[in-house]
Amino acid sequence: MKLSKAWIGTTIFWMIAMIPVIVVLIPNNLVLQDGGLHIDSSTALRGLINGWFPNLLEWQSLSPNTTVEALLALLTSYLSADVSLRLVAVLGLFGFAWGVVALMRAIGRPVVVGVVLLPFQMSSIFMLGFVGFVWATDVMLFAIAVVLANPTRPPRLLLATLLTITWLTHLGPAGIGMASILSIMVVARISDGSSILQSLKYSFRYLIAPFAIPVALTLYWLFSTRGQESASTSFGPLWTMRILLSAAGAIVYYSSIEVVVSLLVAMALVAAAVMVIRRRAHRPVAISKYDGLLVSAAVWALIAIVAPSKTTLGSGFTNERLTLFAWVFAGLWLCAESPQLTGVGHKVWISSLTITAAMAAILPISRIPPMLTVSDQLTEINTLAACLPERSRFLQLNLSVGEDLSARGMQPMAEQTGTLSRDRESLQMGNEAGWYPFYLWGFKEGLVRANEFVPAGSSIDAVPPTFDISRALDAGLPLDAIVLYGRSRATAETLSSPETRATLAELSSRFNLVRVSPSGAAELWMRKGLAPSCR
């Protein structure tokens, strides 16, 4: 039987898309930077529902991080922390790939052309463990596909449903999706001959209904939140331009191999864009119905350059998130416009497809060694679980966070007590989700909070640790135990720092060391007067 080109191309696409899924399943433990935090949050939500911590937790208003947190709370009721997180991660990877397939069908391109977008499947955002953001991005891709299939009259009910689901999963992709949909519709109308003003009026009127629920939810959330605000931080436009233009912000998490991957992906897409622009320069009609994608890419790129890295509401890695969308929309625009390329332009496009496909395969494979390393480190932390009494209140302090494994200084081990909180039905008091307004649960208003006892500009997971243990306990912070991670991996400079010496002195004064992991990477300290649950 003769196989069609379409079948072969689709098979190639899915073979590449499956590589990250396989890689995620390889380590004994899946470590995503905020993965432990999300498991801690799911335990807190279960604790709120079941009344485990009546004096510590309370319900917050309907929030834009509901979908995945509620799912994790359900999953961790029956499955282990690792299986629950792994399942959510795998579904996030599959969702991105299916979203790309939907986009290719919407613009009438073969599925294999979507390999241009696969380097962003296992993105830096995925490795950061922003699982709600990842899922919301997947749903947003389907919403964009619905619009691209009929840019001037997309089905409103379906679009409203997808945008509402996106909002309930994460606010960021919902807002970006709505703005991009407006851009796509306006430009599509202009390409049909309408004036800019007419196109704007028509698009706003048409999108009132699909946007109504997400906008109403956003307004309700903004006016009903009571979460804590923090100072915004920024690394400056030169730094953000570098991670934007090299695509590093969207791709790089671990090794220097990823830096090369991101550069090659960026160069391949830029080369293809140059060919499309050159070809378009000779066309009598300057605007294509898909140029709204290019407008969106440019807008998100510009905002990525000037946006703070962390917002006042506590949302971090803003530049990386926007960089991801800038490149995804740019790549999608190239997929839509590539059929017009001929001659040298077509050859460049084929080369770009080949390079991005290869990089999409190499990227997850290159992450296997560091993922195995942090998996072993998480095993070390998990050995402490047997000694942590059920319904404990604890937090994690660090002498190392795995920053030595990352070309960008990421912190894969900063918050990895999810298995402890899930298995021992315990509350992680250092979980920042409890004092920002993005979740269904929160620490009670007026409760002493752990982040009050670190200096301005620092954090509970800082290395060396800056958390003032004695002041926190004296102020009434409910704390039964502390997990100290990283002593065996810490640098000599960290171990000899005044902050580390002060932390170790306070631990010895107010806590007892009850268990050390086999390699010495993780330690469990119980507050004096409290007995561990192991001998």
Side-chain angles (χ1 to χ4, degrees), residues 164-412:
T164 301
I165 294 172
T166 304
W167 190 95
L168 289 170
T169 309
H170 199 286
L171 178 62
I176 287 171
M178 288 191 290
S180 300
I181 287 167
L182 177 62
S183 170
I184 292 167
M185 283 196 67
V186 169
V187 173
R189 292 284 297 182
I190 293 173
S191 72
D192 283 344
S194 298
S195 68
I196 295 176
L197 183 58
Q198 289 173 331
S199 300
L200 283 169
K201 287 182 178 179
Y202 173 85
S203 300
F204 273 114
R205 285 199 304 266
Y206 192 91
L207 292 172
I208 287 175
F211 286 6
I213 296 177
V215 170
L217 287 171
T218 302
L219 292 173
Y220 169 78
W221 174 72
L222 287 172
F223 285 110
S224 63
T225 54
R226 56 124 182 116
Q228 171 179 311
E229 291 193 356
S230 63
S232 63
T233 57
S234 177
F235 294 111
L238 291 179
W239 179 86
T240 51
M241 284 183 67
R242 181 174 62 82
I243 67 166
L244 170 70
L245 296 177
S246 66
I251 292 176
V252 178
Y253 184 85
Y254 274 126
S255 70
S256 55
I257 295 174
E258 298 178 29
V259 176
V260 177
V261 167
S262 71
L263 283 171
L264 289 174
V265 169
M267 291 168 63
L269 295 184
V270 168
V274 169
M275 293 297 106
V276 171
I277 292 169
R278 283 183 57 189
R279 177 71 177 174
R280 289 277 295 275
H282 302 290
R283 281 176 50 178
V285 179
I287 297 177
S288 161
K289 69 176 181 177
Y290 296 126
D291 282 353
L293 295 168
L294 182 60
V295 172
S296 296
V299 168
W300 304 131
L302 289 173
I303 296 176
I305 293 172
V306 300
S309 178
K310 185 177 182 180
T311 67
T312 56
L313 284 176
S315 178
F317 294 91
T318 309
N319 312 107
E320 286 84 351
R321 299 180 201 233
L322 291 166
T323 294
L324 173 65
F325 284 115
W327 281 104
V328 167
F329 279 109
L332 182 54
W333 176 74
L334 289 172
C335 292
E337 294 298 309
S338 59
Q340 65 182 276
L341 294 174
T342 58
V344 174
H346 180 69
K347 292 178 181 178
V348 170
W349 172 242
I350 296 301
S351 298
S352 298
L353 283 176
T354 304
I355 291 170
T356 51
M359 295 304 102
I362 291 171
L363 178 65
I365 293 172
S366 73
R367 287 177 173 158
I368 293 175
M371 288 178 72
L372 292 175
T373 298
V374 293
S375 170
D376 291 341
Q377 291 299 296
L378 183 52
T379 298
E380 294 281 315
I381 293 177
N382 292 346
T383 62
L384 307 178
C387 290
L388 181 69
E390 289 187 353
R391 312 287 165 83
S392 293
R393 293 80 52 89
F394 74 102
L395 56 75
Q396 176 181 337
L397 299 180
N398 301 299
L399 298 176
S400 171
V401 286
E403 67 278 11
D404 56 309
L405 299 171
S406 172
R408 291 187 57 206
M410 297 296 193
Q411 303 176 347

Side-chain angles (χ1 to χ4, degrees), residues 10 43 104 154 202 211 268 272 278 302 420 493:
T10 300
T43 304
M104 294 304 106
Y202 173 85
F211 286 6
R278 283 183 57 189
L302 289 173
L420 273 65
E493 181 182 3

Side-chain angles (χ1 to χ4, degrees), residues 120-141:
F120 307 105
Q121 180 187 18
M122 197 181 189
S123 65
S124 62
I125 304 302
F126 175 86
M127 297 306 300
L128 282 163
F130 298 162
V131 288
F133 192 93
V134 168
W135 272 45
T137 299
D138 297 347
V139 182
M140 187 210 70
L141 294 181

Side-chain angles (χ1 to χ4, degrees), residues 415-435:
E415 299 171 291
Q416 295 299 338
T417 55
T419 293
L420 273 65
S421 62
R422 185 268 173 200
D423 289 358
R424 308 306 294 169
E425 296 179 349
S426 294
L427 186 61
Q428 224 280 30
M429 300 302 296
N431 184 355
E432 64 181 19
W435 53 77

Side-chain angles (χ1 to χ4, degrees), residues 453-468:
F453 305 100
V454 294
S458 186
S459 63
I460 295 171
D461 51 29
V463 175
T466 57
F467 178 72
D468 192 329

